């Protein structure tokens, strides 16, 4: 239930990939938005962080094994319809990927994030990767266009 309209929300996804993971290894995370039947969630951006097994951030300058794809599924549909790469966001200074239009999640629509490790990870200590994705979003009441009747606008006759 929204305490304010709109209410800022952040949904977090942790996708862990072990060292020596094969190319194409996926991690699927289901997200529960906990919204009421008159509310909707809008996702505006993704903030990403890439860590090694020790929990140390991977530097974008010297980082290796930083190619990851993501697929966002809402209901039965992928939004956007194609899998897209997170590598530009991981290598950027802002670590943000702003969506051109918000992703809309309505009541009882399941939402899932599928993360794919594009390249094979090398074996050895600290070669595992953990990809953290924060979905920057808001929870808002649905706006309904009303119909007006004579009783809504009293007037003299």
């Amino acid at each position: 239930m929204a305490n304010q309209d709109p209410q800022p929300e952040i949904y977090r996804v942790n996708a862990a990939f072990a060292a020596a993971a094969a190319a194409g290894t996926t991690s699927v995370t289901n997200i529960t938005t906990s919204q009421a039947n008159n509310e909707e969630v809008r996702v505006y951006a993704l903030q990403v962080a890439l860590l090694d097994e020790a929990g140390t951030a991977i530097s974008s300058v010297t980082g290796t094994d930083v190619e990851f794809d993501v697929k966002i599924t809402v209901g039965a549909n992928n939004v956007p319809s194609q899998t897209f790469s997170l590598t530009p966001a991981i290598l950027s200074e802002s670590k943000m990927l702003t969506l051109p239009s918000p992703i809309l999640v309505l009541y009882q629509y399941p939402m899932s994030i599928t993360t794919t490790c594009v390249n094979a990870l090398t074996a050895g200590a600290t070669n595992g990767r953990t990809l953290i994705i924060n979905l920057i979003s808001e929870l808002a009441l649905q706006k309904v266009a009303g119909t007006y009747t004579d009783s809504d606008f009293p007037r003299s006759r």
Side-chain angles (χ1 to χ4, degrees):
M1 186 73 181
N3 293 325
Q4 63 185 36
D5 186 32
Q7 175 177 310
E9 293 283 330
I10 296 178
Y11 301 102
R12 179 177 224 145
V13 173
N14 290 337
F17 299 94
T25 303
T26 62
S27 173
V28 179
T29 305
N30 294 319
I31 298 174
T32 304
T33 57
S34 300
Q35 66 202 50
N37 62 350
N38 64 339
E39 296 172 335
E40 62 190 17
V41 171
R42 294 182 213 111
V43 180
Y44 291 102
L46 291 93
Q47 179 187 32
V48 296
L50 186 61
L51 310 174
D52 62 13
E53 284 180 338
T56 307
I58 305 285
S59 170
S60 60
V61 177
T62 61
T64 58
D65 301 329
V66 295
E67 293 185 44
F68 293 91
D69 288 345
V70 70
K71 177 173 62 172
I72 301 172
T73 305
V74 177
N77 302 311
N78 295 333
V79 183
S81 60
Q82 304 277 328
T83 300
F84 57 94
S85 176
L86 286 180
T87 304
I90 293 169
L91 297 177
S92 73
E93 280 195 31
S94 68
K95 308 287 189 220
M96 293 284 290
L97 176 65
T98 304
L99 301 170
S101 64
I103 295 172
L104 183 64
V105 183
L106 297 176
Y107 179 64
Q108 291 187 338
Y109 276 29
M111 182 172 165
S112 68
I113 308 294
T114 304
T115 310
T116 305
C117 184
V118 174
N119 52 349
L121 298 178
T122 55
T126 69
N127 285 338
R129 298 287 182 257
T130 300
L131 182 65
I132 299 171
I133 303 172
N134 290 320
L135 301 171
I136 310 301
S137 58
E138 70 182 9
L139 176 69
L141 296 175
Q142 290 179 344
K143 308 300 185 253
V144 178
T147 57
Y148 301 105
T149 63
D150 285 343
S151 63
D152 293 331
F153 300 104
R155 58 183 173 211
S156 59
R157 294 185 184 229

